[in-house]
Amino acid sequence: MSSWDRTDRQVADSDLISEARANARARAVESGHKELADDVALVLSELLTNAVLHGGGCTGVTVEPLADGLRVEVCDASGVPPILGRPSTDSLTGRGLRLVARLATDWGARNDGDGKVVWAEITNRGPSAKPELAESDLLLMWDDDKWQVAEAEPVYRVELGDVPTDLLLAAKSHVDDVVREFKLASAGAQAGLTANVPVHLAAVLSAVVDRFADARLAIKRQALDAARNGGETTALVLSLPASAADAAEDYMQALDEVDSYSRARRMLTLETPPQHRVFRHWYIEELVTQLRVAATGAPLPPGRSFTRRLLVEVDGLAGAERSSHRAARLYSVASALATAATPEDVADAVLSEGVAALGASGGGLLLSTHADQLLLPGAVGYDEVVLERLRNESRDAELPTAVVLRTGMPVWLESRAERDERFPEWRGLEAATVALCAVPLEIQGRRLGALRFSFNQARLFDDDERRFVLALAAQTAQALDRAQLQRDRLDVSRRLQRSLLPPSMPEIPDLEVAVVYHPFGDGMDVGGDFYDVWPIRPGQWAIAIGDATGTGPEAVALTALVRYTLRALTISDTDPQRVMATLNTALLNANPDSYGERFCTTLFGVITAGSPIEVQLASGGHPPPMVRRASGQSETVHIGGTLLGVFSEAEVGGVRVSLEAGDTLLLVTDGVLEAHSDGPFFDTAGVEQVLDSETSSAQATATALEAAVLRHTGGSITDDMAAVVLRVPRG
């Protein structure tokens, strides 16, 4: 005989099983039953695993030879007889004892004082012909007096009522799976094969496996009995001491904590399914209540059935679904409002989601104005008669929206009677509207407008709905405020742009002048592109085009500095290269706090009337101009030069261009040349194509150039673009 006592050894569960398997194989060989070695080792493994997972741990193992085979015995710390679970493809546990029943000639269990012994005989006679008899024998053990342990404290009968049998079995199987997986994880951690399981979870699992084991196994047994008898429901009845109430609460808390850990570690198969969680909380709460009342000797209160608990849960889920649905609507509104640039965009986003979420028949957004009438940027669900009335609603009217705007207090009208009593002027104005809510749109103490929703039936606005409407109004007010700020900023930007451009082109004898200016994007940020043409003395005019670095206020300031410095310098000097050199000095001396980065590219010239017309040009790093001759030839006028405002001695290139009748001179910024979408730049090739196709007039060339660039970019540009066209008409 070979045996050892687990209590005398510090052996990990995985090491114990490995050692026991090896010992069993050796005993089979020593006793002359080598052919049974594999079966003996497998049976012993399953019995040990069952002891570890469900028996409170193994306390001893025995392997002894028989005349025709071997007998294995495994002792554990639980006095509860083993249970054969119902076969299931979903469960990770319950197969072990069935495997034992298939391999063993005979097997069973006996009470052993503080625990039990589960034994199996594996012989040359082969497995039992009817392993299901072993299952029946095990079930009889529950009613055997030798398994009944005298309780140290009074026991109370707890009647929980009918529960679906399949749910009971699935819930208990899931708990067994949780115990198994965490046991395996702990064993793997001890062996260094897996990550450590938090230490406190060991104590948690102890509460699951040991402290509430009797009640848990009793429920499992009753469910199995009902399943074998074809019962769709199981009438749960437990006999427990009062102390089981504390153990039950610890059990529930332990499994809830395991759920939290499983979610955090993405161990989603171990998280309790929702229906199991509802069942667990119901029966634990009912059990605890009955035990604690029974312990006082007072009459038991009427219990709440599982069906009633499910109805309560359904109500809670319905409320949660409504809240979730409205939260999703608010999120959709917030996403749409993030890009809403106008009050019309705001109204469209808010009303479509609000009407759908509330089941309203219509909705409208009205804004305060300086006029008597309110402004209606958007509405849905109203016919033209109602829309016209809303457009003409006076801010002084005794109507819901106007009252909300005057008082700042929401209006909730839940029936036609309440509507007519509070707002008699409203009778007949919206015949289909029975109920209505209107709430103010306020931000930082300013009342921007009101949001209203109409309903064709009486409506009870509960707290949840009122919170939703008020939250919708708060988001709407913020979006309206942003839209107003954006509109004001756009207005300022456009005025700044206009201030940077000359109001008109001067009349130059025998010379046509046309310009192109196209701000990029939505015009919110002023760019640095500019152009200018102005008279400097009789018979001479100055021309300038440039690109100051940056966007926004600093670009505005730098552009203004360049333009007005050039105008001032031409009062006393008409040499383009000297003027540009002086401009470079002015940029270097400018206050960086006012202008930021102070560099730019500039093409400056002096036009002298005559025949031909002479244009003397100087460049500071600007793209070269292009000339299209009356003969049809195009050429690029290379000038050179470096950026202005960077070097103390800037290189300024100079050139003189003569324009005869039919000639065209085109000056552009890099916003024209570098315009692109997903393909190549517009570049000089695009400019040459325009010059070759349209030179009937300076304005025609300018119009064709702008259209060609926008066509090339798909209708939008990513930089300012400016161009000046000079053309000498044919005689």
Side-chain angles (χ1 to χ4, degrees):
M1 182 179 72
S2 174
S3 64
W4 61 94
D5 186 351
R6 174 75 186 276
T7 60
D8 294 335
R9 303 162 56 98
Q10 295 297 322
V11 182
D13 293 332
S14 57
D15 294 336
L16 172 68
I17 294 174
S18 297
E19 185 177 343
R21 286 171 61 92
N23 184 277
R25 289 179 183 276
R27 294 297 295 159
V29 172
E30 291 172 5
S31 61
H33 300 295
K34 181 179 179 180
E35 73 282 1
L36 300 177
D38 289 341
D39 287 353
V40 171
L42 183 55
V43 167
L44 183 57
S45 295
E46 295 301 336
L47 294 181
L48 282 169
T49 300
N50 190 68
V52 170
L53 294 179
H54 308 296
C58 173
T59 58
V61 178
T62 299
V63 180
E64 59 182 0
L66 301 173
D68 54 354
L70 292 97
R71 177 185 176 95
V72 297
E73 295 185 353
V74 175
C75 305
D76 64 39
S78 172
V80 179
I83 298 177
L84 283 177
R86 185 173 60 166
S88 170
T89 58
D90 297 329
S91 177
L92 300 175
T93 64
R95 301 183 182 94
L97 289 181
R98 290 190 171 274
L99 184 59
V100 170
R102 291 290 179 180
L103 293 177
T105 305
D106 196 8
W107 74 290
R110 67 174 185 272
N111 187 286
D112 192 28
D114 294 332
K116 66 176 177 291
V117 176
V118 183
W119 57 269
E121 294 180 353
I122 303 93
T123 71
N124 290 320
R125 287 176 285 136
S128 170
K130 297 181 178 181
E132 66 274 8
L133 292 178
E135 179 177 331
S136 301
D137 292 341
L138 286 174
L139 289 173
L140 292 174
M141 292 180 189
W142 283 83
D143 299 319
D144 195 323
D145 291 340
K146 67 182 179 181
W147 291 95
Q148 307 305 313
V149 179
E151 295 289 346
E153 54 181 312
V155 173
Y156 303 97
R157 180 182 174 87
V158 176
E159 297 184 5
L160 296 174
D162 291 341
V163 178
T165 300
D166 286 343
L167 174 62
L168 281 176
L169 293 173
K172 293 308 169 186
S173 176
H174 178 78
V175 173
D176 290 343
D177 291 346
V178 169
V179 172
R180 173 183 181 276
E181 290 304 301
F182 274 92
K183 285 284 188 180
L184 290 175
S186 298
Q190 292 175 3
L193 300 176
T194 60
N196 288 330
V197 176
V199 176
H200 74 282
L201 282 183
V204 166
L205 288 173
S206 175
V208 173
V209 176
D210 302 327
R211 293 195 59 202
F212 199 59
D214 290 351
R216 188 163 60 88
L217 292 175
I219 292 174
K220 186 173 182 179
R221 177 218 174 181
Q222 292 178 50
L224 286 169
D225 285 346
R228 292 184 186 94
N229 294 325
E232 293 187 359
T233 61
T234 300
L236 288 181
V237 179
L238 302 174
S239 295
L240 298 169
S243 60
D246 293 337
E249 289 181 329
D250 291 344
Y251 171 76
M252 184 169 64
Q253 181 180 349
L255 286 179
D256 288 346
E257 187 168 350
V258 168
D259 280 345
S260 298
Y261 178 79
S262 298
R263 283 194 298 272
R265 298 296 297 270
R266 303 295 190 268
M267 301 164 64
L268 301 184
T269 58
L270 296 184
E271 184 181 357
T272 303
Q275 62 269 33
H276 296 185
R277 187 180 297 108
V278 173
F279 162 67
R280 183 170 73 222
H281 280 257
W282 163 76
Y283 94 81
I284 293 293
E285 291 167 8
E286 289 296 317
L287 181 152
V288 169
T289 299
Q290 291 195 40
L291 282 178
R292 288 183 173 157
V293 172
T296 66
L300 288 178
R304 182 168 57 172
S305 69
F306 186 54
T307 301
R308 287 183 59 195
R309 176 59 178 262
L310 286 177
L311 292 176
V312 171
E313 292 290 332
V314 168
D315 288 343
L317 287 174
E321 184 178 9
R322 286 194 301 271
S323 298
S324 176
H325 176 68
R326 286 173 181 161
R329 292 284 186 183
L330 286 175
Y331 178 79
S332 297
V333 169
S335 299
L337 292 180
T339 57
T342 66
E344 290 73 19
D345 293 339
V346 172
D348 182 62
V350 170
L351 294 175
S352 59
E353 293 292 345
V355 166
L358 293 168
S361 57
L365 178 65
L366 291 97
L367 301 180
S368 299
T369 67
H370 296 298
D372 178 59
Q373 277 76 33
L374 303 178
L375 178 65
L376 181 72
V380 295
Y382 296 124
D383 59 30
E384 191 56 40
V385 174
V386 174
L387 288 175
E388 187 62 23
R389 185 198 65 74
L390 291 175
R391 292 189 190 103
N392 293 291
E393 184 168 325
S394 168
R395 62 190 304 120
D396 298 322
E398 287 301 319
L399 295 173
T401 306
V403 168
V404 166
L405 284 173
R406 291 199 302 272
T407 65
M409 299 299 295
V411 170
W412 310 94
L413 302 174
E414 298 180 333
S415 66
R416 181 177 280 111
E418 185 179 10
R419 181 199 72 177
D420 293 345
E421 180 182 353
R422 291 185 59 183
F423 297 97
E425 285 188 21
W426 198 14
R427 293 180 182 177
L429 296 180
E430 290 182 48
T433 298
V434 176
L436 175 138
C437 64
V439 295
L441 303 174
E442 295 180 325
I443 186 168
Q444 297 177 348
R446 293 179 291 118
R447 201 168 299 147
L448 308 180
L451 186 64
R452 75 188 315 263
F453 293 102
S454 302
F455 303 86
N456 290 340
Q457 297 178 337
R459 182 80 169 204
L460 178 63
F461 298 104
D462 59 26
D463 290 343
D464 184 53
E465 284 184 329
R466 295 188 184 209
R467 283 192 297 268
F468 172 76
V469 175
L470 292 173
L472 201 62
Q475 289 189 344
T476 304
Q478 293 176 7
L480 285 172
D481 191 48
R482 287 196 303 270
Q484 182 62 52
L485 289 173
Q486 189 169 355
R487 185 167 57 188
D488 293 345
R489 184 182 174 194
L490 179 60
D491 183 58
V492 170
S493 295
R494 287 172 176 166
R495 282 188 280 131
L496 280 173
Q497 286 174 340
R498 287 195 297 270
S499 73
L500 296 176
L501 303 176
S504 62
M505 291 292 99
E507 294 287 339
I508 301 178
D510 299 321
L511 186 67
E512 297 174 356
V513 182
V515 296
V516 173
Y517 183 78
H518 199 103
F520 75 93
D522 56 9
M524 291 298 297
D525 286 317
V526 181
D529 284 16
F530 67 92
Y531 67 86
D532 202 358
V533 182
W534 69 97
I536 52 177
R537 60 186 60 182
Q540 283 190 325
W541 293 262
I543 181 173
I545 189 170
D547 184 2
T549 184
T551 60
E554 291 181 347
V556 171
L558 184 57
T559 300
L561 174 66
V562 174
R563 281 191 61 220
Y564 294 120
T565 298
L566 286 173
R567 282 187 171 236
L569 291 174
T570 55
I571 294 175
S572 58
D573 194 346
T574 58
D575 182 273
Q577 287 180 282
R578 286 200 303 268
V579 168
M580 294 285 277
T582 306
L583 174 62
N584 182 66
T585 301
L587 291 174
L588 290 172
N589 293 333
N591 184 353
D593 293 337
S594 300
Y595 303 101
E597 293 182 301
R598 296 151 298 159
F599 62 85
C600 68
T601 66
T602 305
L603 185 62
F604 170 70
V606 173
I607 302 170
T608 302
S611 183
I613 289 179
E614 298 290 338
V615 183
Q616 189 177 357
L617 295 168
S619 175
H622 198 78
M626 298 186 69
V627 175
R628 204 249 189 203
R629 298 299 180 181
S631 62
Q633 293 181 334
S634 296
E635 61 181 283
T636 299
V637 182
H638 295 287
I639 307 175
T642 59
L643 288 173
L644 301 181
V646 177
F647 307 105
S648 58
E649 296 293 335
E651 293 183 12
V652 178
V655 71
R656 185 181 296 271
V657 178
S658 297
L659 299 178
E660 304 281 357
D663 290 348
T664 300
L665 177 65
L666 177 61
L667 290 67
V668 300
T669 60
D670 59 5
V672 173
L673 302 178
E674 296 176 2
H676 70 287
S677 179
D678 294 329
F681 288 164
F682 188 72
D683 217 343
T684 55
V687 177
E688 288 178 356
Q689 188 174 4
V690 171
L691 287 175
D692 289 341
S693 63
E694 182 55 77
T695 55
S696 60
S697 69
Q699 186 57 55
T701 301
T703 301
L705 177 66
E706 182 176 20
V709 171
L710 292 176
R711 220 170 24 249
H712 184 76
T713 62
S716 63
I717 55 178
T718 57
D719 193 5
D720 292 355
M721 68 174 182
V724 178
V725 184
L726 304 179
R727 180 180 181 275
V728 180
R730 296 180 185 273

